């Protein structure tokens, strides 16, 4: 009634005509609009009905490049750990009807949470360890003498065999599964005014804040990165060899320094034993003087139990490569080149390699394993020799009453 009084009958007639008006389209446009409406109806229809169900096709995921799928192995991390702050105490007094002097009832704050390193045998690399960890803070105290809740613990899972260092000093060695080390303690909670009640002070107005958590900078290192380490000069074919004997996918290219981070591949045997082989970035002459990030690369070799020297047979004087590699290892750490090892002559498929192989065998006392990582020639001999080195390592650890590293 109110709308009819405001608008005249003529105006209502015009509005009704506009509401009933429909635009006129060509037959082709009408067909397109009809098809669009049908598609909308199919989305709305329930899939519980067999006749109305829509055949939904799953969208194919975009193919991820091999480079993005590659995961580097990390055997060293610098971590800053900060314990949680303690909760503050509060200043409050008991209030109740017909009780004028209830006294102080401010509770203490909760303690801050610790940051704890925990060894887990399911973790093999330090790649999942973040550079910064903070503990949970404690809650503040409450009235009625209620204490604040303590902050929860923050656990950092690390591989078994992780060594914790601070200022170049070893502070912990997590050698067993489930072993824990408190990296940073949480701060103590503050005191409420109830804590300061005494015969001399019946109405204390004092409440303290919680303490700050401990802050430390730690260096985590793995004692064992892999069972075997591939040692060689750049472009010697180490990455191609790791691809050939395992499912690892390190980058392969016809130029040196393709590998800048170590990759670890697992070699499976029929008796379900698994041997971890690490592709260590290529070292150069003068690596022990930190040329070409030499010290960082040599550190990876230090964390391997036995070594596989990879020599490129396509270059002249391949025995000089072996001498230089052993010299760099010995200059970095005395006795490192004397660990159990094998000599591999790679790229035997090239024409000039067969002549260099004979010269290498004359200069080297131990046997040389010739193979081709590209064609797969003579890989069986390498796998058998690798298993012999692994069995010798296991027997040595067991004779020392130590647990060998298993993958």
């Amino acid at each position: 009634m109110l709308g009819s009084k405001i608008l005249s009958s003529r105006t209502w007639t015009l509005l009704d005509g506009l509401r009933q008006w429909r635009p006129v389209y060509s037959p082709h446009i009408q067909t397109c609009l009809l098809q669009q409406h049908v598609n909308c109806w199919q989305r709305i229809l329930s899939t519980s009905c067999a006749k109305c169900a829509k055949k939904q096709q799953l969208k194919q995921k975009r193919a991820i490049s091999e480079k993005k799928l590659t995961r580097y192995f990390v055997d060293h991390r610098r971590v800053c750990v900060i314990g949680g702050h303690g909760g503050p105490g509060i200043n409050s007094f008991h209030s109740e009807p017909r009780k004028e002097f209830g006294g102080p009832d401010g509770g203490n704050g909760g303690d801050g949470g610790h940051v704890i390193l925990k060894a887990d045998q399911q973790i093999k690399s330090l790649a999942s360890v973040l550079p910064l960890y903070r503990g949970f803070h404690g809650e503040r105290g409450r009235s009625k003498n209620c204490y604040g809740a303590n902050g929860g613990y923050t656990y950092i899972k690390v591989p078994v065999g992780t060594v914790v260092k601070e200022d170049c000093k070893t502070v912990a060695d997590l050698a067993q599964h489930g072993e824990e080390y408190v990296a940073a303690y949480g701060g103590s909670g503050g005191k409420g005014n109830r804590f300061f009640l005494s015969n001399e002070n019946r109405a204390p107005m004092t409440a303290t804040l919680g303490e700050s958590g401990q802050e430390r900078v730690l260096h985590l290192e793995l004692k064992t990165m892999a069972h075997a380490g591939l040692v060689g000069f750049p472009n010697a074919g180490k990455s191609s060899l790791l691809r050939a004997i395992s499912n690892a996918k390190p980058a392969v290219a016809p130029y040196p320094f393709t590998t800048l981070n170590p990759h670890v591949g697992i070699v499976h045997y029929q008796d379900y034993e698994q041997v971890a082989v690490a592709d260590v970035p290529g070292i150069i002459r003068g690596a022990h003087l930190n040329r070409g990030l030499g010290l960082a690369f040599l550190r990876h070799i230090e964390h391997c139990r036995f070594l596989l020297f990879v020599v490129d047979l396509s270059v002249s004087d391949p025995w000089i490569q072996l001498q230089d590699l052993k010299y760099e290892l010995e200059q970095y750490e005395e006795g490192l080149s004397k660990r159990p090892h094998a000599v591999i002559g790679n790229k035997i498929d090239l024409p000039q390699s067969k002549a260099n192989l004979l010269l290498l065998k004359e200069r080297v006392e131990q046997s040389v394993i010739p193979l081709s990582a590209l064609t797969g020639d003579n890989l069986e001999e390498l796998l058998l020799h690798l298993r012999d080195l692994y069995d010798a390592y296991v027997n040595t650890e067991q004779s020392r009453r130590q647990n060998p590293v298993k993958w």
Side-chain angles (χ1 to χ4, degrees):
M1 292 296 296
L2 182 61
S4 61
K5 291 181 180 179
I6 297 175
L7 300 177
S8 61
S9 59
R10 183 179 180 183
T11 304
W12 278 109
T13 304
L14 291 174
L15 292 175
D16 187 56
L18 290 174
R19 182 176 59 83
Q20 297 178 358
W21 178 78
R22 296 287 186 274
V24 180
Y25 297 109
S26 63
H28 176 69
I29 296 178
Q30 290 181 359
T31 303
C32 295
L33 292 175
L34 181 60
Q35 183 64 31
Q36 190 175 14
H37 285 300
V38 171
N39 294 336
C40 294
W41 293 338
Q42 288 180 349
R43 295 192 189 97
I44 298 173
L45 291 175
S46 172
T47 57
S48 61
C49 178
K51 296 182 179 180
C52 304
K54 176 186 174 183
K55 295 181 179 180
Q56 298 181 358
Q57 296 181 356
L58 296 176
K59 294 183 179 180
Q60 295 182 354
K61 293 184 178 180
R62 184 180 299 177
I64 303 177
S65 64
E66 190 176 276
K67 184 177 181 181
K68 293 184 178 180
L69 288 174
T70 303
R71 293 184 178 181
Y72 303 121
F73 192 92
V74 179
D75 60 347
H76 180 269
R77 270 282 196 241
R78 178 182 179 273
V79 184
C80 179
V81 289
I82 305 174
H85 295 288
I90 67 166
N91 182 13
S92 68
F93 289 87
H94 184 70
S95 178
E96 188 178 343
R98 296 181 300 276
K99 196 171 184 180
E100 184 177 357
F101 301 103
D105 65 348
N108 300 339
D111 297 334
H114 306 329
V115 180
I116 302 175
L117 298 173
K118 185 175 183 179
D120 190 347
Q121 61 184 3
Q122 300 296 330
I123 307 297
K124 302 301 181 183
S125 171
L126 294 174
S128 60
V129 178
L130 302 178
L132 176 63
Y133 285 91
R134 293 179 181 272
F136 293 98
H137 303 320
E139 296 184 1
R140 61 175 300 173
R142 306 286 182 178
S143 59
K144 299 181 181 179
N145 297 320
C146 293
Y147 286 21
N150 296 333
Y153 294 164
T154 301
Y155 287 94
I156 307 174
K157 291 185 178 181
V158 295
V160 176
T162 301
V163 179
V164 185
K165 295 184 178 181
E166 184 179 17
D167 298 333
C168 300
K169 296 181 180 179
T170 301
V171 295
D173 186 359
L174 306 178
Q176 300 294 332
H177 173 69
E179 190 174 355
E180 297 180 358
Y181 171 71
V182 180
Y185 287 93
S188 301
K191 305 299 182 182
N193 63 339
R194 171 70 181 180
F195 177 81
F196 299 97
L197 178 65
S198 64
N199 293 330
E200 291 78 15
N201 188 2
R202 303 303 299 172
M205 301 290 293
T206 304
T208 61
L209 300 175
E211 297 180 357
S212 299
Q214 187 181 14
E215 182 175 355
R216 301 171 69 185
V217 177
L218 304 176
H219 294 269
L220 309 181
E221 291 185 7
L222 288 181
K223 290 190 298 184
T224 302
M225 181 179 70
H227 297 126
L230 297 174
V231 184
F233 283 104
N235 210 22
K238 301 183 297 297
S239 300
S240 301
L241 182 58
L242 186 63
R243 278 173 167 258
I245 63 177
S246 69
N247 292 328
K249 301 297 181 183
V252 175
Y255 52 82
F257 295 106
T258 307
T259 303
L260 297 178
N261 298 284
H263 297 263
V264 175
I266 307 300
V267 180
H268 300 270
Y269 288 91
Q270 293 182 354
D271 57 350
Y272 303 103
E273 284 289 348
Q274 298 179 353
V275 180
V277 181
D279 176 20
V280 181
I283 61 177
I284 62 176
R285 294 177 177 86
H288 68 281
L289 301 176
N290 203 22
R291 292 180 182 175
L293 296 177
L295 295 180
F297 293 167
L298 289 170
R299 187 189 299 117
H300 303 314
I301 302 174
E302 182 186 2
H303 298 159
C304 299
R305 298 301 94 192
F306 46 89
L307 307 177
L308 301 176
F309 290 101
V310 182
V311 179
D312 187 359
L313 294 178
S314 63
V315 300
S316 59
D317 302 334
W319 59 89
I320 298 181
Q321 297 183 35
L322 184 60
Q323 294 176 0
D324 292 340
L325 290 173
K326 291 185 177 181
Y327 174 77
E328 294 297 333
L329 297 184
E330 199 66 26
Q331 292 297 317
Y332 174 73
E333 181 183 344
E334 185 177 356
L336 183 58
S337 64
K338 298 179 181 179
R339 289 186 180 181
H341 62 272
V343 180
I344 301 172
N346 195 16
K347 303 182 182 180
I348 192 61
D349 55 313
L350 299 180
Q352 64 273 21
S353 299
K354 296 181 180 180
N356 292 333
L357 176 61
L358 299 176
L359 297 176
L360 179 62
K361 289 183 176 181
E362 294 177 357
R363 301 296 183 95
V364 178
E365 296 179 357
Q366 62 187 115
S367 61
V368 180
I369 304 175
L371 55 83
S372 174
L374 180 62
T375 61
D377 294 340
N378 205 26
L379 288 178
E380 293 81 5
E381 183 180 355
L382 171 62
L383 295 178
L384 292 176
H385 197 81
L386 180 64
R387 180 59 188 269
D388 294 338
L389 291 173
Y390 173 74
D391 292 339
Y393 158 72
V394 172
N395 295 332
T396 304
E397 292 296 316
Q398 290 178 352
S399 63
R400 298 175 181 176
R401 297 183 178 179
Q402 296 180 359
N403 295 327
V405 178
K406 296 285 186 176
W407 246 257

